[in-house]
């Protein structure tokens, strides 16, 4: 398999012993894992095609312990890979053989729910859904809702700038957090942002969000909470043609309606979801749209019939409005279970995460279909249609020799096409190690250099998650995949052989 | 033409980089009064104008940074859309670049979000004269560090903004404003409840609470009845005056401070007159209290204070415009500045000494 991590020097047994000795002074016995059978569970994150045994795993139980771990690692020049719940889909939390894997799972307290200011202060290991559950008795919730919300951690959400089906209206993680406490590579604790709506100085909160464990370890997060909407209604529209569904999406937005969620699924995804959870999806349709509106009851009823008309005008062959809460949940269940449902169709699936300008949707899906045929690998499409975030799911069998490589190549081509139409290689899953090569396509060498300079400002010794998220210029040059920018040769500064 | 301009801006930055000469980045100077005065060779952006792309159904507009806010708002208006963060103009020909760099948001901020929440992508020139593009025109993009949002509020100290892509929103169907005569205490309680209402702005000044409601006409009318008070005539003018600091409150002659605090913070014990916005989160104070006193009171509340105008402006006060940062955070700011602008040529000292 094409393991994309760059080679690094192994840690000598002597140094490993010294590390263990130092760590055992500050951590309880059970918080350090080093036996092969204990390390096994940490070999990969949600992108299980890539695996690597970490040097060792630590599970600190306090901020102070995190600080001490960082100080020890800095002193011994041992890299550190942060891990939340390990649900990431880009290999961001993939261990390195020469690095400590720092799990934040034990930092899982909800510190405070401030009802008057509508905020929750939590530790990074708290699960996304647990915040909304804790806030529910106060009539509040945390808006960003990744499909993995039962499992993923809020720290991981910040590190990836996670999104969810409700992000069109309520924003991504970056729009829903106020304050972070972060441990630097030196082991210092700093506070970024505040409980007010803004803070003096640079917007480091934005910079930290989506930084994939490359700039610091997040140890506390203050999130915004919203009042639970008085009413929510969902509508399911079926289409015979994908472009019709695409046009309906544009028309809804064009009519000045911002739905709470607006999701599209194609035929293969519909069928898989229906077989899996029996949500009542029309298996003969080529596309469905799920459109949810929320807010004041009167307004929701008014707008839902407006949306119904728009769907019909744009060729929907069937439109159904969920008649009660139970049916509403069922409609969503199919969408939320789409990944595992598609996963049942083949031994393995590979989830892509491109974003495109919505009006290029038909063209992009057409290209995906052509590529899918060319490679002989089926692709199901799940689409956050409202904000243009496309998840093509490639079905393959890792046990067939060469098929994973073929899948990766197909995935790479899909992402490159997303960039070509003015989109991006990742909307919400992050670059991690998975999309490191495509970064060379999306950014010029000077842009990548700027990213490295930012990394250097936080982590001059490259100890935090090294080798992830931003490729070295050398790597890009070797790939030769660089686009020619303004007629200039990529990397003129590098020698060519 | 504009490409030539980009090139000449880039040339000027490169020259300044090689000779470590300070540059003062200039739009149309409507917000020059903010922050510390900068001395440096002027770098004119105001000629770099034009809307590059606007696709209403994509909810995105991209424009060159010298484009006036008026021009952008007019284009949006024709499609019944808006900049939901309602940037203050502070002058006829305020530019997009200035609005982003200063990071100011208007009355709609508490409901819709701040400038930085709407920034999707930027084209910038860094301190070495490199032309860089971050983010894009799509709603979701996590490739690379978010160096676009980082520009919002950096006052030009981290780069020259050439082009900005912003998320836009449809205008609400219907808007009206209720005015209530209430005590401070009761105003605070009411503002606290406003997050549950379709309230798109609040202001409390001279014992009157103004609540702007936006949504569908039926809903808004029925909510207005519940809230009570009176309907405000010509409410658009009222909110415009608040946003543009044209309201009589802003004509007081003392120092004008902006206090940013957690919204539910009770009335703050500082002398002077108050105008309170954003459901309590943004508080304008006209006062003769000194910077040190204001900050001693505000810090334990979890907030910060910025000086907007001061008749007493003297050299001694100059380090006191923006709220001081704790040492470790300041250190990080310096390193970040170095990463973007290694020779410190962009608007040196505009925000803090050394940045
Ligand atoms: C079935 C399924 C559905 C999904 N659906 C969505 C979706 O709808 N939307 C979406 O955005 N994502 C989705 N994801 C992806 C994933 O759940 C998110 O990226 C999530 O934010 C990762 O959180 P985690 O706690 O699992 O982080 P991990 O996978 O453990 O780590 C992710 C990255 O964050 C870093 N990190 C973790 N914690 C910290 C910390 N405290 N400090 C610094 N760095 C840290 C790691 O180093 C790594 O780079 C889905 C995944 C699965 C498996």
């Amino acid at each position: 398999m094409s393991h994309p991590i760059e080679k690094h020097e192994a840690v000598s047994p002597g140094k490993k012993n010294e590390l263990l000795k130092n760590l055992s002074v500050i951590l309880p016995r059970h918080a350090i894992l080093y036996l092969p059978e204990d390390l096994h569970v940490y070999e990969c994150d949600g992108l299980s095609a890539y695996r690597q045994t970490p040097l060792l795993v630590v599970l600190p139980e306090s901020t102070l312990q995190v600080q001490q771990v960082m100080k020890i690692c800095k002193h011994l020049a041992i890299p550190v890979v942060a891990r939340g719940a390990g649900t990431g889909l880009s290999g961001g939390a993939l261990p390195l053989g020469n690095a400590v894997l720092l799990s934040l799972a034990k930092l899982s307290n909800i510190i405070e729910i401030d009802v008057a200011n509508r905020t929750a202060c939590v530790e990074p290991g708290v699960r996304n859904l647990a915040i909304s559950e804790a806030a529910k008795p106060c009539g509040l919730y945390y808006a960003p809702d990744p499909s993995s919300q039962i499992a993923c951690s809020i720290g991981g959400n910040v590190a990836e700038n996670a999104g969810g089906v409700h992000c069109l209206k309520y924003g991504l993680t970056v729009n829903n957090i106020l304050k972070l406490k972060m441990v630097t590579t030196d082991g210092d604790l700093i506070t970024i942002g505040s409980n007010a709506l803004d803070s003096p100085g640079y917007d480091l909160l934005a910079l930290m969000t989506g930084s994939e464990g490359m700039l610091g370890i997040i140890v506390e997060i203050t999130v915004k909470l919203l009042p639970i909407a008085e009413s929510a209604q969902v509508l399911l529209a079926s289409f015979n043609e994908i472009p019709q569904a695409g046009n309906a999406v544009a028309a809804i937005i064009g009519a000045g309606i911002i739905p709470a969620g607006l999701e599209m699924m194609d035929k293969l995804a519909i069928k898989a979801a229906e077989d899996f959870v029996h949500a009542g999806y029309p298996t003969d349709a080529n596309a469905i749209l799920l459109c949810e509106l929320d807010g004041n009851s009167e307004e929701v009823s008014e707008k839902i019939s407006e949306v119904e008309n728009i769907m019909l005008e744009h060729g929907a062959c069937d439109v159904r409005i969920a008649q009660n809460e139970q049916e509403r949940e069922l409609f969503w269940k199919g969408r939320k279970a789409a990944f595992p449902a598609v996963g049942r169709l083949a031994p393995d699936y590979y989830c892509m995460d491109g974003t495109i300008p919505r009006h290029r949707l038909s063209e992009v899906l057409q290209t995906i279909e052509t590529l899918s045929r060319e490679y002989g690998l089926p692709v199901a499409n799940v689409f956050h249609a409202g904000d243009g975030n496309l998840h093509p799911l490639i079905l393959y069998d890792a046990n067939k020799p060469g098929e994973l490589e073929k899948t990766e190549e197909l995935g790479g081509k899909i992402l490159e096409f997303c960039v070509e139409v003015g989109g991006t290689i990742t909307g919400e899953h992050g670059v991690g190690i998975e999309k490191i090569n495509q970064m060379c396509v999306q950014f010029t060498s000077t842009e990548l250099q700027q990213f490295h300079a930012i990394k250097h400002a936080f982590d001059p010794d490259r100890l935090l998650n090294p080798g992830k998220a931003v490729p070295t210029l050398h790597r890009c040059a070797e790939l030769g995949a660089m686009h020619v920018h303004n007629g200039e040769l990529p990397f003129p500064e590098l020698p060519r052989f | 033409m504009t490409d030539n301009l980009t090139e000449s801006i880039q040339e000027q930055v490169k020259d300044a980089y090689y000779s470590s000469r300070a540059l003062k980045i200039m739009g149309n100077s409507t917000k020059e009064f903010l922050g510390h005065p900068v001395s440096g060779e002027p770098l004119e952006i105001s000629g770099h104008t034009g809307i590059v792309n606007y696709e209403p159904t994509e909810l995105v507009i991209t424009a060159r940074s010298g484009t006036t806010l008026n021009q952008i708002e007019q284009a949006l208006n024709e499609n019944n859309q808006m900049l939901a963060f309602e940037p203050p103009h502070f002058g006829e020909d305020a530019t997009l670049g200035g609005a982003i760099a200063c990071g100011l948001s208007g009355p709609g901020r508490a409901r819709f979000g701040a400038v930085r929440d709407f920034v999707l992508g930027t084209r910038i020139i860094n301190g070495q004269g490199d032309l860089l593009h971050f983010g894009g025109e799509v709603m979701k993009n996590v490739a690379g560090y978010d160096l676009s949002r980082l520009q919002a509020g950096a006052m030009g100290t981290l780069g020259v903004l050439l082009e900005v892509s912003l998320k836009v929103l449809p205008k609400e169907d219907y808007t009206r404003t209720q005015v209530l005569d209430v005590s401070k205490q009761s105003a605070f309680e009411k503002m606290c409840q406003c997050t549950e209402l379709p309230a798109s702005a609040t202001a409390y000044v001279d014992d009157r609470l103004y609540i702007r409601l936006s949504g569908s006409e039926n809903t808004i009318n029925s909510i207005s009845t519940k809230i009570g008070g009176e309907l405000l005539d010509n409410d658009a003018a009222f909110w415009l005056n608040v946003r543009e600091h044209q309201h009589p409150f802003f004509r007081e002659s003392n120092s004008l401070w902006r206090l940013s605090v957690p919204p539910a913070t009770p009335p703050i014990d500082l002398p002077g007159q108050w105008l309170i916005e954003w459901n309590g989160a943004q508080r304008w104070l006209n006062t003769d209290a000194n910077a040190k006193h204001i900050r001693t009171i505000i810090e334990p509340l979890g907030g910060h204070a910025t000086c907007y105008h001061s008749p007493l402006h003297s050299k001694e006060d100059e380090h006191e415009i923006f709220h001081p940062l704790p040492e470790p955070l300041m250190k990080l700011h310096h390193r970040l500045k170095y990463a973007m602008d290694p020779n410190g040529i962009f608007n040196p000292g505009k925000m803090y000494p050394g940045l």
Side-chain angles (χ1 to χ4, degrees), chain A residues 59-64 66 82-87 102-111 120-131 142 149 151-160 173 177 179-183 189 216-223:
Chain A
L59 298 118
E61 293 163 350
S62 69
T63 294
L64 185 64
V66 175
R83 178 184 166 106
T87 68
L102 173 66
S103 164
L104 282 310
K106 291 277 171 65
L107 294 179
S108 58
N109 289 312
I110 295 183
I111 300 166
C121 179
V122 301
E123 290 185 334
V126 171
R127 290 172 305 112
N128 171 298
L129 188 61
I131 303 176
Y142 175 62
Q149 70 182 146
C152 63
S153 75
I154 185 71
N157 289 174
V158 174
E160 299 286 16
T173 304
I177 59 174
K179 185 168 94 178
L180 297 175
K181 283 192 182 160
M182 171 182 113
V183 174
L189 183 66
I217 307 295
I218 298 153
V219 291
E220 191 186 296
I221 302 111
T222 303
V223 304

Side-chain angles (χ1 to χ4, degrees), chain A residues 27-86:
Chain A
L27 294 173
R29 258 194 122 71
H30 61 262
I32 310 173
L33 310 179
Y34 53 90
L35 298 172
E37 59 269 32
D38 291 334
L39 299 182
H40 186 66
V41 244
Y42 293 94
E43 267 179 2
C44 66
D45 62 5
L47 181 68
S48 56
Y50 301 150
R51 287 171 190 275
Q52 169 68 51
T53 310
L55 181 65
L56 48 87
V57 176
V58 294
L59 298 118
E61 293 163 350
S62 69
T63 294
L64 185 64
Q65 287 178 0
V66 175
Q67 289 180 264
Q68 288 168 325
V69 169
M70 294 309 290
K71 285 197 170 120
I72 290 170
C73 290
K74 173 93 179 182
H75 179 66
L76 295 174
I78 302 261
V80 175
V81 177
R83 178 184 166 106

